[in-house]
Amino acid sequence: MFIHIGKREIISDSVLVGIFNRETMEKSEQNIHYLRNLTKDVKSIIINKNNSFIGSIISSFTIIKRNNMTEGIVWRRKDDQRI
C-alpha cells in the first residue's frame, strides 16, 4: 500500500518505519538531527528503513488517519472524544 504524505509525494508502507510529529521530536536531543534542514512549515517527519527521512507539511495524525480509515483503525490524541 502507498501513503500520500502531501505535495504529491507518496511512500510505500513496506519501507516505512514511522510517521512522527515534529513537536514530539523537538523534545528529544537524540532526534534533533532529523530537524536540522527542515523548514518551519514541516509538521511531521516520515522515516524509512534506510534511515532517510522526508518532511511533510501535513500533520502526522492526518497522514495516519488517511491510511487507516479503510481498516477501521483511527489513531487520535488521547484527549480527543469519540463520536
Side-chain angles (χ1 to χ4, degrees), residues 1 9 11 21 26 28 31 37 44 58 62 64-65 67:
M1 177 182 300
E9 290 188 58
I11 186 168
N21 183 329
E26 286 175 340
S28 169
N31 293 322
N37 297 322
S44 57
I58 298 175
T62 301
I64 292 167
K65 278 201 277 189
N67 185 45

Side-chain angles (χ1 to χ4, degrees), residues 19-36:
I19 302 169
F20 302 94
N21 183 329
R22 180 188 188 128
E23 292 176 8
T24 303
M25 291 189 78
E26 286 175 340
K27 295 178 182 179
S28 169
E29 290 182 26
Q30 295 172 336
N31 293 322
I32 203 74
H33 66 278
Y34 289 111
L35 306 173
R36 284 191 188 127

Side-chain angles (χ1 to χ4, degrees), residues 4-7 9 19-22 38-46 53-60 62-63 66:
H4 178 258
I5 59 171
K7 292 190 175 180
E9 290 188 58
I19 302 169
F20 302 94
N21 183 329
R22 180 188 188 128
L38 298 177
T39 61
K40 294 290 183 189
D41 62 342
V42 170
K43 295 180 182 176
S44 57
I45 292 92
I46 296 91
F53 61 95
I54 303 168
S56 174
I57 61 170
I58 298 175
S59 161
S60 58
T62 301
I63 295 170
R66 286 178 177 178

Side-chain angles (χ1 to χ4, degrees), residues 2-20:
F2 291 93
I3 302 167
H4 178 258
I5 59 171
K7 292 190 175 180
R8 297 184 183 206
E9 290 188 58
I10 58 171
I11 186 168
S12 170
D13 65 348
S14 65
V15 297
L16 182 70
V17 171
I19 302 169
F20 302 94

